[in-house]
Amino acid sequence: MNNEISPLFLPNTEPLNVTVLVFSGASLMCVASTIDPMRAANRVSGASLFKWQVVSLDGKPTMTTCGLPIAVSGQFNASEKGDMLLVVGGFGTADIARTTFTANLRRAVHNYQMIGGIEAGSWLLGRAGLLTGRRATTHWEDMEEFTAEFPDADIRPDRYVIDGPVFTSGGASPTFDLMLHLIRSRYGMSVALDVASVFIYDEAHASNDAQPLISLGRLDNVHPKLAVAIRLMEGHIEQPLTVGAIAKRCGLSARSLEKIFAKAVGEGPGRYYLRLRLKVARRLITDTKSPLADIAARTGFSSAAAFTRTFRSFEGKPPSAFRPIQ
């Protein structure tokens, strides 16, 4: 396992030359979380700490998932040199990874001190063989498939992972945390705090904080036990806990837990838990080719028939109706 620290994360006042390669289907928030911290660092420091260019595979603007295009300065050139190459991927990136681009990516590695895969960009790094023997992560929705696809990598559920000259990030917010970590490590805490303040961002996370299925925001301020209960639920999708067991682990009675959920969420913990499991099931139906029987087992149902009945009662259609047309 590689544990060396990249020189780019050591104190240094020299500017970083960064190439941001954006693929169509990427999230606008992921793009912004990558670029805007660099812009803000330049602004608050009054210096050009970062110099970046945004490129695409064909030199044409890329379309984000919300329908807004990203202007680029040109076409990705694997022979061009720089300090850091950031690959921002999204829907459809896994298919792109099967093209000749992976060979170009392997060549490009020699021209950069560090390469990063952001959200689905991690799939591109994996297909290029850059994650072999390294720790890595991706968006939580793809974690199981990602682990199966790259058995020679040590896949973690972390927000972001830095392993020597390679890093991977699970999404927009983890990428923002990663960029703050880079700014803090290289240019100092003062600059990092000023950048966080520009965005009124006051809850930076550590790299190894787990990616949650449910982003709680400030629900712990509504009731701290609510957050604990939801975390227990998302940690037991395949083997669901009873409401009584959840309440006990929260140090509450089942009746108290029912009241907390009714007031804060508008429904009981049992129904919320079931909807959470069905939400995971629907994602597996639409995003994977796993048999429905396997999906039923992975989401805590005793049989495919029981799963289908419950799914239909909530969604109005059977699970098969949500399978993408091949």
Side-chain angles (χ1 to χ4, degrees):
M1 197 66 65
N2 299 281
N3 291 302
E4 72 271 22
I5 298 175
S6 168
L8 300 189
F9 281 81
L10 296 176
N12 196 320
T13 58
E14 292 297 312
L16 276 183
N17 290 300
V18 180
T19 296
V20 183
L21 172 57
V22 181
F23 286 84
S24 287
S27 158
L28 182 63
M29 286 189 68
C30 279
V31 178
S33 292
T34 302
I35 298 172
D36 251 11
M38 296 190 288
R39 174 199 61 80
N42 287 356
R43 174 191 162 196
V44 300
S45 67
S48 297
L49 302 182
F50 293 93
K51 298 178 181 178
W52 66 89
Q53 61 170 341
V54 182
V55 299
S56 64
L57 275 187
D58 57 7
K60 299 178 181 178
T62 59
M63 190 64 67
T64 58
T65 50
C66 67
L68 291 177
I70 300 294
V72 300
S73 60
Q75 184 175 7
F76 173 65
N77 182 353
S79 301
E80 193 169 309
K81 295 183 181 295
D83 295 316
M84 182 179 284
L85 173 63
L86 306 181
V87 183
V88 187
F91 292 112
T93 299
D95 295 329
I96 295 171
R98 293 185 172 90
T99 68
T100 55
F101 170 72
T102 52
N104 290 332
L105 191 57
R106 283 192 293 271
R107 288 201 302 273
V109 168
H110 302 292
N111 295 320
Y112 292 89
Q113 293 187 58
M114 194 166 201
I115 183 169
I118 295 170
E119 200 167 280
S122 55
W123 286 84
L124 294 165
L125 271 59
R127 291 262 170 77
L130 304 181
L131 302 183
T132 300
R134 295 191 182 278
R135 292 170 287 121
T137 192
T138 192
H139 192 276
W140 64 265
E141 288 186 334
D142 300 324
M143 200 66 69
E144 290 188 31
E145 290 73 26
F146 193 70
T147 301
E149 179 81 15
F150 306 112
D152 294 330
D154 178 9
I155 308 303
R156 309 279 181 96
D158 299 355
R159 294 174 65 81
Y160 64 87
V161 175
I162 303 170
D163 196 339
V166 176
F167 75 77
T168 45
S169 173
S173 178
T175 299
F176 198 100
D177 289 329
L178 170 64
M179 296 305 290
L180 282 179
H181 175 55
L182 171 63
I183 293 166
R184 180 174 60 250
S185 301
R186 188 173 178 87
Y187 301 115
M189 178 63 78
S190 178
V191 176
L193 289 175
D194 286 346
V195 169
S197 297
V198 167
F199 299 98
I200 319 177
Y201 189 76
D202 60 358
E203 258 187 275
H205 295 269
S207 64
N208 59 355
D209 284 353
Q211 294 181 42
L213 294 176
I214 302 297
S215 294
L216 297 179
R218 299 231 178 227
L219 274 185
D220 54 344
N221 287 351
V222 175
H223 198 295
K225 298 296 185 180
L226 180 65
V228 174
I230 292 176
R231 287 287 177 252
L232 283 169
M233 291 175 183
E234 69 173 12
H236 295 82
I237 296 295
E238 187 169 346
Q239 296 180 317
L241 300 171
T242 65
V243 171
I246 293 171
K248 185 176 181 180
R249 294 192 187 192
C250 292
L252 298 168
S253 67
R255 184 176 177 80
S256 295
L257 187 63
E258 292 276 357
K259 289 182 177 179
I260 291 170
F261 265 82
K263 182 178 180 180
V265 184
E267 63 183 348
R271 186 173 179 82
Y272 179 89
Y273 197 179
L274 182 56
R275 285 200 303 105
L276 175 59
R277 290 161 53 203
L278 291 172
K279 177 182 177 182
V280 174
R282 181 169 177 171
R283 181 187 62 79
L284 292 171
I285 292 167
T286 57
D287 294 354
T288 76
K289 297 180 180 179
S290 298
L292 293 182
D294 290 351
I295 294 174
R298 288 167 63 179
T299 50
F301 291 90
S302 59
S303 67
F307 166 60
T308 299
R309 285 195 303 271
T310 306
F311 191 94
R312 185 194 289 269
S313 70
F314 273 75
E315 299 288 351
K317 299 177 182 179
S320 57
F322 290 86
R323 283 288 195 196
I325 298 175
Q326 301 297 325

